[in-house]
Amino acid sequence: MMRRFIAVLIKEAREIWRDPYTLGMAIVLPLIMLFLFAYATNLDVKDVSLAIYDQDRSRASRDYVTLLTIGDEFHVHAWVQSSDELEHLMDNDTVEVGLIIPPGFGEALAAGQPATVQTWVDGSFPPTANVAIGYVTAFNQVYSAREVAALLGQPVKPAIAVAPRVSYNPGLKSVNSVVPGLFAVILLAFPPLLSALSVVREKERGSIQQLFVSPIRPAELILGKLIPYGVIAFVEMAVIFVAGIGWFQVPFVGSLPFLLVTALIYVFGAVSIGLLVSTVTSSQAAAMIATIVLTMMPALIFSGFIYPIFNMPPVMQWYTNLFPARHFVTISRSIALKGVGLEHLWPHVGLLLAYVLAIFTMASLRFKKKVG
C-alpha cells in the first residue's frame, strides 16, 4: 500500500513541478486577493462626505458645522442653496449625509429653546447610514450639553456616565477582523481549484485510464493527490499569514503552532473538496464552476467573514456549521485576537477533522464507483 501511495505522490509532485506557471500563480494570486480584500473590505466609517444647507446663516450655525466636522468622521463636500440641490447630490452618490439647518436655529439656542436640525442620510448601505446617524446623534448630545452649560454658566454633569471597555480590538479597526478571516476565504479559493483540475485534466487527456487498470486503490490515489496540493495550500497559508500580519500590523496574541496545526487540517479539507468535485465532473470548465459554488460562495456568505452569523435566522445559523470556512474563521480570529486555545475551540477543530474525513471518504467512494 505504501509503495503505491508514494508512487502516486511522486507522480503528482513531478507534474506540479513541471508547471511552474501554475505553481507561481498559486502563491501570487492569494497575495493579490489578500491585499484587494483587506483594503476593499474596510468597515470603518470615516471621512463621510457631507452637504450643508444652512438656511439660518448665523454664527451659531457656522459654529455648529465647524464643531461637527472638526474630527475625521465628516468632511464638508458642498454648501448647497436648496433642498433640490441637496437631493441631486445624494441621488448621484456624491454625498452620504445631508444636513439642513432651518431658519431661527441661532435664535432658538440663544433663547434656551430646542433647535431642530434635519439629518438626511443615504440608507442604500445601512451600515454606513447607521454609523453616520450615531455620529450625528452623539455629537448633538455633546453640543446640547455645551449650550446648556453656557446658558447656566456652569458645567452640566450627565446623569449617567458611560465607561465603555472594548476587548481584543480596542481600536475597533476592521482590518484586525478582516485579515484573520481572509485566511479561511483565500484558502478556499485556489487549493480546491488546483486539486479538482488535476484529476479532470487527466480525464480529458485519457491518462486516467492507466490508473483504472492499475492495482492502486481509490483511497491511495486520493491521498497521493491530496498531500502535494495540501502542501501548496499550507505554503499559501504561511505566505498570506506573514503578509497579512506584517503588512497590516494585525495584532497576533495567540499560539502560532496551534494556528498552523488547525490550518493544516483546514487546507486538507479544502483540497479534499476539489478532489471530490473532480470525481463527479468530466471537464475543467464544469470543475471550476462546481468548485467555486461549493467553496468561495459559502466562504463569503456563511462563514461569518462579512455577515454576522448571529444576525441570521436560527435555521441558517445551524446551516453554517456544514461549511469548514465557518469554523476556521472563528478559529483564526479567536487565536489571533483573543489568544484562546484548544480548550475553547475544540468543537470547531473537531468539526474540521470530521469534515476532512467525511469529504475524503466520499471522494474515495465516488472514485471507486466511477472506476466500476
Side-chain angles (χ1 to χ4, degrees):
M1 173 180 176
M2 185 61 66
R3 291 178 60 185
R4 294 191 295 265
F5 156 69
I6 292 177
V8 175
L9 181 65
I10 294 175
K11 167 187 170 297
E12 201 64 31
R14 285 177 177 174
E15 289 189 4
I16 295 173
W17 187 255
R18 290 170 184 169
D19 190 5
Y21 176 78
T22 302
L23 186 61
M25 294 299 289
I27 303 299
V28 174
L29 287 180
L31 280 176
I32 295 176
M33 282 190 65
L34 172 69
F35 284 96
L36 288 178
F37 270 95
Y39 280 116
T41 315
N42 191 337
L43 305 179
D44 298 333
V45 179
K46 291 184 178 181
D47 203 30
V48 176
S49 57
L50 185 68
I52 308 292
Y53 180 25
D54 186 0
Q55 297 175 296
D56 189 52
R57 298 177 181 273
S58 63
R59 180 177 180 181
S61 63
R62 291 191 297 271
D63 181 55
Y64 175 83
V65 174
T66 299
L67 292 176
L68 176 64
T69 57
I70 199 171
D72 59 357
E73 289 84 9
F74 296 99
H75 76 275
V76 179
H77 177 81
W79 294 81
V80 300
Q81 304 303 318
S82 67
S83 298
D84 292 338
E85 186 180 353
L86 175 57
E87 184 176 5
H88 177 73
L89 292 175
M90 297 195 71
D91 287 343
N92 293 335
D93 293 329
T94 305
V95 297
E96 287 88 22
V97 177
L99 201 66
I100 302 177
I101 304 176
F105 173 82
E107 294 179 0
L109 289 179
Q113 298 176 354
T116 302
V117 175
Q118 181 181 356
T119 305
W120 195 348
V121 180
D122 181 356
S124 57
F125 188 63
T128 301
N130 288 328
V131 174
I133 292 173
Y135 281 159
V136 175
T137 301
F139 169 78
N140 285 340
Q141 291 174 349
V142 174
Y143 186 82
S144 298
R146 194 195 76 159
E147 292 300 311
V148 171
L151 290 172
L152 296 178
Q154 60 182 359
V156 178
K157 296 182 179 180
I160 299 176
V162 180
R165 175 183 176 182
V166 180
S167 300
Y168 312 125
N169 186 11
L172 295 178
K173 296 180 179 179
S174 62
V175 69
N176 292 345
S177 176
V178 168
V179 170
L182 279 175
F183 298 160
V185 174
I186 293 176
L187 290 177
L188 273 185
F190 298 104
L193 195 60
L194 293 176
S195 59
L197 295 179
S198 69
V199 177
V200 175
R201 193 181 299 116
E202 291 192 43
K203 290 182 180 180
E204 293 182 340
R205 293 174 180 173
S207 59
I208 195 72
Q209 300 299 328
Q210 298 176 7
L211 296 174
F212 287 172
V213 299
S214 69
I216 190 169
R217 298 172 183 173
E220 297 169 352
L221 173 65
I222 297 298
L223 187 61
K225 288 183 172 294
L226 176 69
I227 291 180
Y229 290 101
V231 171
I232 293 176
F234 190 73
V235 172
E236 287 182 0
M237 171 63 191
V239 171
I240 62 177
F241 173 81
V242 172
I245 299 298
W247 180 268
F248 294 101
Q249 298 297 306
V250 175
F252 186 86
V253 299
S255 170
L256 180 58
F258 181 42
L259 176 64
L260 295 179
V261 169
T262 54
L264 187 63
I265 299 172
Y266 180 68
V267 298
F268 278 124
V271 174
S272 297
I273 296 175
L275 293 176
L276 177 61
V277 169
S278 70
T279 63
V280 298
T281 54
S282 56
S283 68
Q284 295 189 51
M288 290 178 64
I289 295 173
T291 303
I292 291 173
V293 170
L294 292 174
T295 57
M296 282 297 294
M297 291 178 63
L300 291 173
I301 299 174
F302 300 117
S303 66
F305 169 62
I306 297 177
Y307 308 106
I309 293 176
F310 60 80
N311 282 343
M312 299 180 183
V315 174
M316 297 305 297
Q317 293 184 30
W318 178 88
Y319 183 65
T320 61
N321 289 307
L322 300 178
F323 300 99
R326 183 259 188 270
H327 303 290
F328 194 66
V329 164
T330 301
I331 290 172
S332 59
R333 283 177 174 170
S334 297
I335 295 176
L337 300 179
K338 298 182 179 181
V340 299
L342 185 61
E343 67 278 7
H344 295 285
L345 297 174
W346 66 265
H348 297 286
V349 177
L351 287 172
L352 276 184
L353 282 170
Y355 189 89
V356 173
L357 294 175
I359 298 298
F360 179 83
T361 303
M362 291 171 61
S364 301
L365 294 176
R366 178 64 194 179
F367 183 79
K368 182 178 181 180
K369 182 180 179 181
K370 193 75 175 179
V371 174

